[in-house]
């Protein structure tokens, strides 16, 4: 799935910044890919980029209208259909991370057929993948893994890819989830793949590359998650990472929404990833620990990270508060 | 997926016993469910049960025509379509483990629509499952796991379920693959589920039950398999086994069709399963080791199994040569 950029970011009539977090993520990580925003009255949320009509956006280089808002339930709202159809008729493709498929809305499907525009439903995966082969690929790979879901794996991977690029290294962020795919314009929604082909899809996602090139792969779920560990397992085998970076959150004690399931001990978490990952890459190592320290005061944060670094002897960082620079330098 | 029994077993024009192994498996494991066989001339292979027309089979209690033959490629042969349509028109449902969906053959789809009969494509999974919850369920569960694919996990699970039943214990075989589903008449093709829902499908497959009841769950793949470990992982978490039985083959040194990937050390294999399985069932234990010893002479076999038993201190058996009786007694 490769989504033509630049984007016109659609915010609909969203009422809070939180519900527009996909849009904010796009502008934060790919400002150069965002031509403008399209808001429906009375929308007051702004991404801080110019308001544009589809025609203006096309003149500014836009090729795709991206749904940058995530309402509860992930459903395309009735009031959005007219503006989306108008964007298609003006010449834009449409990309969405909603549960509702764009093509399941008859007006949008018709408009796409009439105009030859493409509809990208990044939450779904219609592509067929082969079974994983375990064949070693050239180039280097880093996979972010985690003690839980929604703990910073995407953000950490994006930070590391950017930090590598800023240091003149060849690096590509590889997206495995819907927001990551919209940000990078390509990727695989790995949790939407048929179970037999998880590792195969991961292999496809990070193909052979130059010896010094780093694929920085967005992790999904956790080996310790009672619901999603199968996805994490196949992604770990198929990614064949040379390096993992373990993501966690200071102060989180239980798996989100799974009372009674503790956040695993970091040492055990690292050891299990290295044991499993060594099956397809015997040289796998833990390159760092990424901690969301938002709940700690500054002084606490410094002590927390430095204690962790003493214990594990790898760079320990908060991708927001301290950045991934030291990690990138250590690679 | 619950397939109405008894079965009329369709052999088509199969030329070798090996290609009819699904049919032989049905008759071996569920003789009481097989009303008869339907062969097309010049088929010489026989399951040792009566030849019947669809009408005769219905009179003998049959409700479903089961494709008991697996041609290379898993494709429904043109010459089968007429006889399958005739069986549907006579009043039978049809079940198939072929890659080709029954409903994708227009004549078969039409016949089913006209007559209201059901078509079961056990290799595919159209059902939607929830995400795994990790909630502890009542009753007891045993999962067969393995050092590789195609190493005896289904056969071992069927043997254990039968051995428990013969000893008056409540036990149910739970199928996770196409042949197992045809044998038991129910189950989930777990490798065909969307990746996010592997553990959820496994939870659905073995619901709450009586405290003394054993679900004996057919394992899939291997945690050490470079292609399929994601499936094995989700199945292990979702099954919440109280007991695992590890299946391996004496003399196999590499993962089948994956040169360079060794068969894992048994101790390491057991330890990894127990570590991962303890996440959703802290009381998980290894209850036995099932070995395909077909490549060993009788004297070698006895020594091999007794050495293994000394080393691991659990019943070690060959489900074909020695049966699962001692294991069932130890549960």
């Amino acid at each position: 799935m490769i989504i033509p950029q630049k984007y016109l970011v659609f915010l609909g009539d969203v009422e809070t910044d939180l519900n527009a977090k996909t849009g904010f993520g796009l502008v934060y990580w790919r400002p150069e890919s965002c031509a403008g925003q399209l808001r429906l009255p009375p929308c007051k949320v702004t991404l801080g980029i110019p308001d544009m009509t589809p025609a203006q956006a096309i003149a500014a280089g836009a090729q795709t209208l991206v749904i940058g808002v995530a309402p509860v339930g992930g459903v395309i709202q009735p009031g959005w259909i007219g503006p989306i159809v108008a964007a298609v008729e003006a010449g834009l493709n449409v990309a969405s991370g909603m549960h509702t498929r764009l093509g399941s809305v008859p007006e949008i499907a018709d408009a796409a057929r009439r105009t030859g525009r493409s509809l990208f439903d990044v939450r779904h995966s219609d592509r067929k993948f082969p079974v994983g082969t375990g064949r070693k690929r050239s180039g280097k790979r880093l996979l972010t893994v985690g003690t839980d879901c929604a703990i910073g794996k995407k953000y950490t991977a994006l930070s590391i890819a950017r930090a590598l690029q800023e240091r003149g290294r060849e690096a590509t962020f590889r997206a495995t989830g819907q927001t990551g795919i919209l940000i990078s314009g390509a990727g695989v929604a790995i949790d939407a793949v048929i179970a037999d082909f998880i590792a195969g899809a991961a292999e496809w996602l990070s193909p052979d590359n130059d010896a010094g090139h780093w694929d920085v792969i967005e992790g999904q779920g956790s080996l310790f998650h009672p619901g999603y560990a199968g996805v994490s397992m196949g992604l770990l085998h198929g990614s064949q990472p040379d390096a993992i970076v373990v993501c966690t959150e200071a102060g989180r004690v239980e798996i989100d929404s799974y009372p009674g399931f503790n956040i695993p001990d970091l040492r055990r978490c690292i050891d299990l990833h290295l044991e499993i990952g060594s099956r397809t890459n015997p040289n796998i190592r833990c390159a760092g620990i990424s901690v969301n320290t938002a709940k700690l005061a500054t002084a606490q944060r410094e002590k927390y990270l430095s204690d962790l670094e003493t214990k594990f002897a790898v760079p320990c960082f908060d991708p927001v508060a301290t950045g991934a620079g030291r990690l990138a330098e250590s690679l």
Side-chain angles (χ1 to χ4, degrees), chain A:
Chain A
M1 196 180 278
I2 298 178
I3 307 170
Q5 298 183 343
K6 302 179 180 180
Y7 294 151
L8 174 61
V9 184
F10 181 76
L11 291 182
D13 45 4
V14 65
E15 292 176 359
T16 66
D17 284 10
L18 189 65
N19 283 351
K21 72 176 180 180
T22 301
F24 281 102
L26 291 171
V27 171
Y28 183 79
W29 289 108
R30 292 290 183 274
E32 71 283 7
S33 301
C34 298
Q37 63 186 4
L38 174 58
R39 302 186 290 173
L40 306 179
C43 179
K44 292 280 190 295
V45 173
T46 178
L47 304 177
I49 56 176
D51 285 296
M52 290 185 181
T53 64
Q56 289 168 334
I58 289 168
Q63 299 192 72
T64 304
L65 181 80
V66 174
I67 313 292
V69 46
V72 175
V75 175
I76 292 171
Q77 305 296 304
W80 300 358
I81 297 174
I84 292 173
V85 167
V88 172
E89 288 175 339
L92 293 171
N93 306 298
V94 187
S96 158
M98 302 279 113
H99 278 292
T100 315
R101 285 176 187 258
L102 291 162
S104 74
V105 180
E107 296 91 332
I108 298 173
D110 284 351
R113 250 192 312 269
R114 267 198 326 271
T115 59
R117 296 299 94 188
S118 296
L119 304 176
F120 299 97
D121 286 297
V122 300
R123 190 184 284 265
H124 303 275
S125 178
D126 296 325
R127 194 193 159 82
K128 299 223 170 197
F129 295 98
V131 170
T133 66
R135 183 185 68 78
K136 182 82 178 89
R137 305 188 297 284
S138 56
K140 296 204 165 290
R141 285 165 192 82
L142 183 150
L143 174 69
T144 56
V145 301
T147 55
D148 192 2
C149 293
I151 204 152
K153 290 183 291 290
K154 175 178 73 245
Y155 202 99
T156 299
L158 283 160
S159 300
I160 294 170
R162 178 180 282 180
L164 284 168
Q165 289 157 354
E166 286 170 352
R167 282 157 183 79
R169 305 288 296 274
E170 271 192 278
T172 308
F173 168 72
R174 298 293 187 185
T176 60
Q178 60 237 28
T179 305
I181 295 172
L182 291 173
I183 289 171
S184 74
V188 176
I190 195 89
D191 58 7
V193 167
I194 299 286
D196 245 0
F197 308 108
I198 307 170
E203 292 183 358
W204 177 89
L205 180 66
S206 70
D208 283 308
N209 216 317
D210 297 340
H213 176 279
W214 280 95
D215 266 345
V216 184
I217 304 161
E218 175 192 6
Q220 289 294 331
S222 167
L223 291 180
F224 295 86
H225 194 286
Y228 301 123
V231 173
S232 312
M233 179 72 157
L235 184 57
L236 178 54
H237 269 177
S239 295
Q240 303 178 352
D242 302 280
I244 56 167
V245 170
V246 178
C247 303
T248 192
E249 181 181 359
R252 197 186 292 198
V253 294
E254 280 189 338
I255 297 290
D256 187 35
S257 307
Y258 284 74
F261 286 93
N262 64 309
I263 292 289
D265 172 71
L266 264 182
R267 176 73 70 192
R268 185 177 166 212
C269 179
I270 292 169
D271 287 349
L272 186 62
H273 281 89
L274 296 184
E275 174 164 12
I276 291 172
S278 68
R279 185 66 171 159
T280 56
N281 188 343
N283 298 318
I284 187 173
R285 67 189 173 90
C286 177
I289 300 171
S290 168
V291 189
N292 177 342
T293 60
K295 287 184 190 149
L296 304 181
T298 306
Q300 278 184 299
R301 182 178 68 226
E302 284 166 12
K303 177 160 171 26
Y304 189 98
L305 291 174
S306 91
D307 286 355
L308 212 56
E309 196 151 320
T310 304
K311 185 167 174 193
F312 289 96
V314 291
C316 298
F317 62 102
D318 180 321
V320 178
T322 70
R326 282 197 310 121
L327 179 96
E329 275 154 26
S330 79
L331 286 176

